[in-house]
Amino acid sequence: MVSWQELQGKAHGFGYDYDPGSPHLSHLRLKKRLGAEIWSAVDRSFIRKGNCRVLEIGGGHGTITELAVAAGASVTVTEMSEASAVELRKRFAHNDRVRVIHDRLGDEILKPESTFDVVLCVSVLHHIPDYLGYVKSLVDLISPDGDLITFQDPMWYPRRSRRNMAMYWACYFAWRAFQGNLLRGLGTRIRHVRGIRDQRLESDMVEYHVVRQGVDEVALASLVEKQFTSTAVVPYWSTQSGVLQRLGERLSLHSSFALVATGRGGTTVRPSAGESLRSAQRC
């Protein structure tokens, strides 16, 4: 049987384009929101200790890595996909503040010799079957007063209204139709509704959240809140189409969430305006 890790690598092989199916990469407002959270986390680390070590899980082709580097951090970025790891190494070949790890099974980084000041999981947790267990392991890698940021995961379906879910699926299938692969999307959805999951197909296993009805943001927050000074779940609307993204925002709908946990085992330092300005001058 092919493992879910192998299917991840296969689904994101050579020639794969992350942007069309990734609202946080294609929509400027979402990208800015994520960038602001990363910048704040890096800022807090510089205020505490004068530097920042970021661990980014699942870096794709490096768009988010660049945000962290621009904020002044040194970044260790992992990828299950060999093709994406190759692309990352090419993109940051001349940047000594970026280290790329091809983590084929996703667990190599869980046994490091060092800790990190900020851990980023951007559009990652919904791909992992035991995402709560994985996050628990990641928290152990965060240094005292460090931060955890997750972004672009779908909110738990049973907690959302019928209107919300109807809009969510309508936007999804409208985007599929525009992409020219509506039948594939319908076939995958029908199998999931019937409780069928073909473990040979990337489409059934890569977007694992569809099988288990999203990512439970409440359970995730409960898992980490006792270990951080501040933990916040930030819901927002997210869909692939730019037009439908603006519509969902105008209707004040929520479909995805970010989790921002700051100050592991200590007191969170909040930068003053002057400190933020000095941080901005680093890049």
Side-chain angles (χ1 to χ4, degrees):
M1 181 181 298
V2 181
S3 69
W4 67 271
Q5 292 99 328
E6 291 173 303
L7 285 170
Q8 290 286 344
K10 184 178 178 182
H12 302 97
F14 290 97
Y16 181 81
D17 186 357
Y18 285 89
D19 285 9
S22 305
H24 64 290
L25 300 181
S26 56
H27 301 329
L28 184 59
R29 187 177 300 183
L30 293 183
K31 187 176 178 181
K32 283 184 174 180
R33 176 180 289 186
L34 172 57
E37 294 293 354
I38 293 172
W39 192 280
S40 295
V42 173
D43 224 22
R44 286 190 289 269
S45 180
F46 266 87
I47 292 169
R48 291 194 310 271
K49 52 187 291 190
N51 58 58
C52 182
R53 299 161 300 169
V54 169
L55 170 62
E56 180 189 4
I57 304 296
H61 288 168
T63 302
I64 307 307
T65 312
E66 283 197 341
L67 294 178
V69 170
S74 297
V75 183
T76 296
V77 54
T78 73
E79 250 303 333
M80 281 184 173
S81 163
E82 180 181 5
S84 295
V86 168
E87 183 64 28
L88 285 167
R89 290 191 178 107
K90 288 180 181 178
R91 185 168 185 169
F92 298 102
H94 304 293
N95 193 324
D96 60 5
R97 288 196 285 123
V98 178
R99 176 192 177 208
V100 179
I101 297 176
H102 176 211
D103 194 352
R104 187 174 64 86
L105 297 178
D107 58 0
E108 179 181 341
I109 195 61
L110 302 180
K111 309 166 186 176
E113 297 179 356
S114 60
T115 57
F116 300 89
D117 304 302
V118 180
V119 170
L120 298 176
C121 292
V122 180
S123 193
V124 166
L125 299 185
H126 61 270
H127 295 292
I128 302 174
D130 181 17
Y131 60 93
L132 292 176
Y134 193 75
V135 168
K136 185 176 180 180
S137 296
L138 287 178
V139 169
D140 291 338
L141 307 182
I142 300 175
S143 61
D145 284 320
D147 299 345
L148 169 69
I149 299 173
T150 78
F151 198 87
Q152 195 58 29
D153 287 302
M155 300 172 69
W156 198 45
Y157 297 176
R159 205 173 282 122
R160 291 157 64 177
S161 69
R162 290 184 178 180
R163 172 175 174 263
N164 180 290
M165 291 303 300
M167 180 68 172
Y168 177 74
W169 286 117
C171 289
Y172 170 76
F173 286 120
W175 172 74
R176 279 287 192 182
F178 181 77
Q179 292 289 308
N181 54 16
L182 177 60
L183 292 179
R184 175 185 171 184
L186 284 170
T188 301
R189 180 57 185 157
I190 290 170
R191 287 194 300 275
H192 291 160
V193 169
R194 296 174 61 192
I196 299 172
R197 187 171 75 251
D198 191 335
Q199 298 190 16
R200 300 166 298 177
L201 299 177
E202 305 102 278
S203 58
D204 277 22
M205 297 299 293
V206 171
E207 298 300 321
Y208 201 86
H209 64 91
V210 178
V211 179
R212 62 160 176 260
Q213 303 190 84
V215 173
D216 191 336
E217 68 277 12
V218 173
L220 187 61
S222 298
L223 176 71
V224 304
E225 63 184 358
K226 293 183 180 179
Q227 302 186 63
F228 290 86
T229 300
S230 173
T231 301
V233 173
V234 184
Y236 59 92
W237 176 252
S238 173
T239 192
Q240 288 85 353
S241 163
V243 173
L244 296 176
Q245 176 68 24
R246 291 189 291 272
L247 176 61
E249 290 174 346
R250 289 180 181 177
L251 295 174
S252 298
L253 296 176
H254 295 151
S255 61
S256 301
F257 73 94
L259 178 117
V260 181
T262 61
R264 183 179 184 240
T267 302
T268 301
V269 179
R270 304 206 178 274
S272 65
E275 288 169 328
S276 294
L277 177 59
R278 286 195 295 276
S279 176
Q281 293 171 342
R282 289 198 300 268
C283 15

